[in-house]
Amino acid sequence: MKKNLFLLMPLFFATSVFAQDSDWLEFSSEECNFSILLPEKPTINSQDIENQGRAIRSVTFDSQDGMTLYSINCSNDPAIAFLNTKDQTLTALKDFANSQLRGVPPEDITEVSLNDYVGISYIERFGDSAIIYTRLYIAGNKLYNLNVGDLEGTAQKGAERFFESFRVP
């Protein structure tokens, strides 16, 4: 009997993982050239802005699951074309992250990669439980800013699934 139970365990775990992902939707954006798993269909907001004489198109996709917000922002800043090395890209991403921080020092800043693209990952904590997980990537001519935040500090598993499902060609 124990032997049969151990033989069924991989099937149970495979089914659990599938069921966990099957409750999320795969979402793709042609304009921003990515796909990702989200808990629900996102709301989409776009704007054209000018920054230091450069026209930038910014598109944000937000999806919510209870108290957890999942957000992807992509923008096409022409200055990205001047980032020719990994070090330049990492410096630009860290500078961008520091400009976005909400008065809280980031934790666990680490280098991450997506295909052949470089990125950074960090965490912001607010008070006892509010938390924002962030990943920034430069891929092609786009800056991708992925965020998962909640007020209860329970978003880590969802953040991992969200980040790991993000795809660009």
Side-chain angles (χ1 to χ4, degrees):
M1 177 71 171
K2 278 187 178 180
K3 186 176 181 181
N4 289 340
L5 183 60
F6 284 114
L7 292 174
L8 292 175
M9 297 227 10
L11 178 62
F12 170 76
F13 287 120
T15 304
S16 296
V17 169
F18 176 76
Q20 188 178 38
D21 281 344
S22 68
D23 62 341
W24 281 30
L25 310 168
E26 183 170 0
F27 175 79
S28 297
S29 168
E30 276 189 41
E31 180 178 7
C32 287
N33 202 25
F34 74 84
S35 67
I36 195 163
L37 291 176
L38 294 170
E40 64 179 24
K41 184 177 177 182
T43 58
I44 303 170
N45 295 299
S46 60
Q47 63 180 0
D48 295 312
I49 56 176
E50 190 171 314
N51 184 4
Q52 299 177 348
R54 299 184 313 258
I56 299 172
R57 174 91 171 148
S58 177
V59 184
T60 302
F61 306 83
D62 291 327
S63 180
Q64 195 159 348
D65 183 16
M67 295 297 290
T68 303
L69 178 65
Y70 299 85
S71 182
I72 306 111
N73 175 273
C74 75
S75 58
N76 66 337
D77 188 336
I80 291 172
F82 297 104
L83 302 174
N84 299 316
T85 68
K86 180 179 177 180
D87 287 341
Q88 288 176 335
T89 302
L90 286 172
T91 298
L93 289 172
K94 288 175 184 174
D95 289 347
F96 179 81
N98 286 324
S99 74
Q100 299 298 305
L101 294 177
R102 298 145 190 87
V104 177
E107 298 176 20
D108 302 326
I109 297 176
T110 56
E111 183 180 323
V112 293
S113 63
L114 177 67
N115 303 336
D116 292 330
Y117 304 115
V118 68
I120 62 170
S121 176
Y122 59 90
I123 299 170
E124 296 171 86
R125 294 185 194 276
F126 304 88
D128 292 334
S129 60
I131 191 166
I132 298 174
Y133 299 93
T134 299
R135 284 203 184 166
L136 301 173
Y137 295 104
I138 292 179
N141 67 343
K142 298 205 183 310
L143 168 66
Y144 295 96
N145 182 352
L146 287 74
N147 296 278
V148 178
D150 77 18
L151 299 174
E152 300 169 345
T154 59
Q156 186 171 4
K157 279 189 175 185
E160 290 170 8
R161 178 169 28 166
F162 176 73
F163 293 141
E164 294 303 315
S165 72
F166 183 67
R167 300 283 181 262
V168 295

